[in-house]
Amino acid sequence: NGTASPQGPFPVALSNLTADNSGDYSLTVFTEHQCPSAPATVNVEVTTTPTTPVLSINNVQPCNGNNVMLTTAAQTGSNVEYLWYFGSNLLTTTTSPSFQLTNVNQTNTGSYSVKVMKGSCESVPSTPVAVQVSNVANLAPVFSISQDALCEGENLGLAATGIPAGASFQWFFNNGTTVSSIGTSAVPVFTIMNVTPSNSGIYSVVASTSGCVSPPSNVEAVVVGGQLSQAPVLAANSDVPCQGEQLQLTTTAYPGQD
């Protein structure tokens, strides 16, 4: 209720509206002789400001080509819309509290958030959630070895490059009959200690990040020579030669060796 000056335009301001201010508002104008006009009526419905949404993402480290679902809790009321953001850019507006990113790639790496609109009333944005898309599935490691010919008892070093930090590595060995995993590591290097001839074969590596698996690397062949089973036979033509004489050393052929 309020009374305005005779000149109009008859404003009445209500501050800090709440849902209790919803209802019908009317205006009646009186002449100087208190003769009333017909009332003018308007209905006002105060919309409750949406609560700050909480954003959930089903996979914050997806593989290249995966789909990623963004969701928030549904809010009650009419004319509710959900505004989905990538950084400061509006991606889309939906009437349902979910939105799917399809076939993601490196350009989808970044922070996501959501706002809720009820009519013209807008919520505070959600706390951003970061998404890191892994490209490992498109990257084959570059594999190398410390040496391709070793003697029994030496160490063999394996290494992988070309993969982003944070990946894990699975190392493989092919003995000519079967391919088997010989170990995993959180770093792109792996050492086989005290090799024997049974370590002769083909080696390779595969990288993975959050379930995203790379193609196999190139392969490298390794040959390990066994230790000789006995010392060679060495003979000298004289064990006490005189100065100026010639010393001749000889041995016999080592059995089983070329």
Side-chain angles (χ1 to χ4, degrees):
N1 295 323
T3 301
S5 66
Q7 292 79 21
F10 320 122
V12 176
L14 301 177
S15 302
N16 299 317
L17 296 177
T18 68
D20 293 336
N21 296 113
S22 296
D24 292 328
Y25 291 81
S26 63
L27 171 66
T28 301
V29 179
F30 292 85
T31 68
E32 60 181 335
H33 301 294
Q34 298 302 306
C35 300
S37 69
T41 303
V42 64
N43 179 265
V44 174
E45 181 180 351
V46 179
T47 302
T48 304
T49 301
T51 58
T52 302
V54 176
L55 176 62
S56 298
I57 298 180
N58 68 330
N59 188 358
V60 296
Q61 292 183 310
C63 303
N64 198 67
N66 285 170
N67 297 335
V68 175
M69 182 65 74
L70 286 65
T71 58
T72 189
Q75 298 206 21
T76 58
S78 58
N79 300 320
V80 178
E81 294 182 315
Y82 303 86
L83 286 65
W84 307 93
Y85 287 85
F86 178 52
S88 60
N89 299 318
L90 177 63
L91 290 174
T92 190
T93 300
T94 65
T95 56
S96 65
S98 62
F99 171 63
Q100 182 172 258
L101 299 170
T102 58
N103 195 29
V104 296
N105 56 44
Q106 300 308 109
T107 63
N108 298 112
T109 293
S111 294
Y112 293 82
S113 60
V114 62
K115 291 181 183 178
V116 180
M117 291 283 291
K118 287 185 179 181
S120 60
C121 301
E122 183 177 275
S123 75
V124 173
S126 68
T127 300
V129 178
V131 171
Q132 177 69 51
V133 180
S134 173
N135 196 36
V136 166
N138 295 333
L139 299 174
V142 178
F143 177 62
S144 61
I145 56 178
S146 56
Q147 51 188 324
D148 58 5
L150 300 90
C151 295
E152 185 172 359
E154 293 184 325
N155 299 333
L156 173 62
L158 313 179
T161 59
I163 298 296
S168 60
F169 299 85
Q170 187 167 15
W171 309 89
F172 291 91
F173 172 62
N174 182 347
N175 64 4
T177 303
T178 59
V179 178
S180 58
S181 173
I182 56 173
T184 60
S185 67
V187 292
V189 292
F190 188 79
T191 301
I192 302 173
M193 308 293 290
N194 298 317
V195 295
T196 68
S198 65
N199 295 115
S200 295
I202 306 295
Y203 291 83
S204 61
V205 64
V206 166
S208 61
T209 302
S210 302
C212 309
V213 181
S214 76
S217 69
N218 57 296
V219 299
E220 295 287 348
V222 171
V223 175
V224 179
Q227 291 182 339
L228 300 178
S229 59
Q230 63 187 55
V233 176
L234 178 63
N237 62 338
S238 173
D239 57 357
V240 286
C242 297
Q243 183 175 351
E245 290 183 339
Q246 184 180 56
L247 175 65
Q248 184 175 353
L249 303 176
T250 58
T251 186
T252 58
Y254 196 87
Q257 302 297 314
D258 295 329

